[in-house]
């Protein structure tokens, strides 16, 4: 009886959040260990299906950098990065698209359907979903001079056409989006999945944007696990970057959160995808986890 009562209490605690988020759109950027570890992968998919069945509208945007690198290695093609961006010639772009759209996207869709959801896979080419333009690599050399390099078919989001996503959601499907964009002349671009997730969330006016990462969130001091910053306001972000508190791979994540909020998203969250059922912990519990970004 004690265990049964505990289960009931959990459901009762979740009730106000189920009511609050009923009919609301939540964009989830799916990446990191949660895409590799089989136990975590299944937990994430179960969370997303539960969200759909209690009336929320989850939309998944996934990454796949490590899988792309592994495939390039297997095919004997050297991977080169400039300022953190993968140099992507036409041959590399074909491999990137094959991995993201033909392999990872379909694996996620298949698992969602297998575990009781209704999912459809998309790339940015479908219905002109993600319209893109070329992104150049920019950095400063040792003398302080700005350097610009063309790194091939690496893009940034120009516009998101949400109609195809909205149609699928209305019909009860969970859209799963690969971060591939299409240029003005029909060319294909590889885009950072964090930025795609932020742009999609903004276009949908989502209630939440959630980024699954391999860290607990943003820390005031990386050496002190008790210094997790639970909430950051948009106007605090530039100072945190200048002070080095937000750095490296966390910069594009916080930037995509800021851009999504500027486009009308209510809240953005950076949470640890290595914790099983972290999505449910964030959405359906009082305490939540990770770092929340708000206006």
């Amino acid at each position: 009886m004690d265990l049964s009562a505990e289960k009931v209490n959990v459901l009762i605690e979740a009730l106000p959040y189920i009511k609050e988020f009923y009919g609301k759109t939540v964009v989830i950027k799916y990446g990191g260990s949660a895409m590799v570890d089989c136990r975590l992968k299944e937990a994430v998919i179960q969370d997303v299906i539960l969200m759909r069945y209690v009336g929320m509208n989850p939309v998944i945007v996934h990454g796949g950098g490590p899988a792309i690198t592994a495939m390039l290695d297997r095919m004997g093609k050297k991977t080169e990065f400039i300022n953190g961006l993968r140099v992507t010639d036409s041959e590399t772009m074909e491999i990137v698209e094959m991995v993201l759209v033909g392999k990872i996207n379909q694996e996620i869709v298949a698992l969602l359907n297998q575990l009781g959801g209704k999912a459809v896979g998309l790339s940015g080419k479908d219905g002109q979903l993600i319209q893109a333009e070329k992104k150049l690599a920019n950095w400063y050399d040792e003398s302080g001079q700005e350097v610009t390099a063309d790194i091939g078919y690496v893009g940034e989001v120009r516009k998101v056409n949400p109609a195809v996503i909205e149609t699928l959601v209305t019909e009860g499907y969970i859209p799963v989006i690969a971060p591939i964009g299409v240029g003005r002349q029909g060319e294909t671009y590889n885009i950072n999945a964090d930025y795609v997730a932020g742009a999609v969330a903004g276009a949908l006016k989502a209630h939440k944007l959630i980024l699954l990462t391999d860290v607990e969130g943003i820390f005031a001091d990386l050496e002190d696990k008790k210094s997790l910053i639970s909430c950051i306001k948009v106007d605090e972000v530039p100072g945190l970057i200048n002070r080095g508190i937000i750095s490296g791979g966390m910069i594009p994540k916080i930037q995509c959160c800021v851009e999504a909020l500027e486009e009308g998203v209510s809240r953005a969250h950076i949470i640890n995808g290595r914790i099983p059922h972290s999505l449910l912990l964030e959405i359906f519990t009082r305490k939540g986890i990770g770092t929340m970004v708000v206006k």
Side-chain angles (χ1 to χ4, degrees):
M1 286 297 294
D2 289 343
L3 182 58
S4 297
E6 185 177 337
K7 290 180 178 178
V8 169
N9 287 334
V10 170
L11 291 171
I12 294 300
E13 181 182 346
L15 179 59
Y17 302 101
I18 293 173
K19 290 171 63 179
E20 179 183 353
F21 300 132
Y22 186 85
K24 301 289 177 55
T25 297
V26 177
V27 174
I28 301 152
K29 191 275 178 163
Y30 180 33
S33 296
M35 287 186 67
V36 180
D37 184 294
C38 292
R39 180 178 61 98
L40 293 174
K41 186 186 300 185
E42 187 164 317
V44 169
I45 298 304
Q46 288 173 333
D47 289 0
V48 172
I49 293 170
L50 177 61
M51 290 163 64
R52 188 70 187 93
Y53 275 111
V54 298
M56 300 171 68
N57 300 321
V59 176
I60 297 174
V61 176
H62 66 82
I68 293 169
T69 300
M71 181 62 75
L72 289 168
D73 289 344
R74 192 181 310 167
M75 300 181 75
K77 190 166 179 63
K78 183 181 177 182
T79 300
E80 181 184 358
F81 289 90
I82 294 179
N83 200 32
L85 299 171
R86 187 190 305 272
V87 177
T88 308
D89 59 18
S90 58
E91 184 182 14
T92 300
M93 188 63 242
E94 288 182 13
I95 296 169
V96 167
E97 187 171 13
M98 177 182 70
V99 173
L100 289 176
V101 181
K103 184 177 186 293
I104 295 176
N105 188 274
Q106 292 306 300
E107 286 176 353
I108 297 169
V109 168
L111 188 55
L112 280 161
N113 290 332
Q114 177 190 332
L115 295 179
K118 287 172 57 182
V120 173
L122 300 167
S123 82
K125 292 181 173 181
D126 296 309
Q128 292 279 304
L129 172 59
I130 302 170
Q131 297 171 36
E133 56 192 11
K134 180 185 284 289
K135 180 180 180 65
L136 300 174
N138 296 291
W139 72 96
Y140 291 91
D141 62 19
E142 294 178 356
S143 64
Q145 295 294 313
E146 185 174 9
V147 180
T148 300
D150 185 336
I151 50 176
Y153 294 94
V154 176
E156 55 189 355
V157 178
R158 180 171 60 86
K159 182 182 178 183
V160 172
N161 175 14
V164 63
I165 303 174
E166 292 167 344
T167 299
L168 290 171
V169 167
T170 299
E171 294 298 320
Y173 290 96
I174 300 168
V176 181
I177 303 168
I180 298 292
V182 60
R184 297 177 191 270
Q185 305 302 318
E187 63 273 37
T188 304
Y189 287 109
N190 181 25
I191 309 175
N192 180 294
D194 292 326
Y195 289 121
V196 171
V200 167
L204 293 171
K205 305 301 181 206
H207 188 73
K208 280 181 181 286
L209 167 65
I210 301 177
L211 308 182
L212 291 175
T213 69
D214 284 346
V215 296
E216 289 86 351
I218 296 173
F219 290 90
D221 180 357
L222 286 174
E223 302 300 321
D224 181 4
K225 292 300 181 182
K226 295 181 180 180
S227 68
L228 178 69
I229 304 174
S230 60
C231 184
I232 294 175
K233 292 185 177 180
V234 167
D235 59 8
E236 296 175 325
V237 169
L240 292 171
I241 293 175
N242 290 337
R243 288 155 52 197
I245 291 174
I246 300 174
S247 61
M250 194 58 74
I251 291 178
K253 296 185 186 305
I254 199 75
Q255 287 176 336
C256 88
C257 290
V258 171
E259 290 173 10
L261 291 167
E262 297 289 355
E263 291 297 319
V265 175
S266 298
R267 284 180 166 81
H269 304 261
I270 299 171
I271 69 173
N272 188 357
R274 295 177 301 178
I275 300 173
H277 301 294
S278 55
L279 285 172
L280 298 186
L281 288 170
E282 172 53 47
I283 294 171
F284 294 130
T285 63
R286 295 187 185 96
K287 190 174 182 181
I289 59 175
T291 297
M292 178 172 65
V293 187
V294 298
K295 289 197 78 172

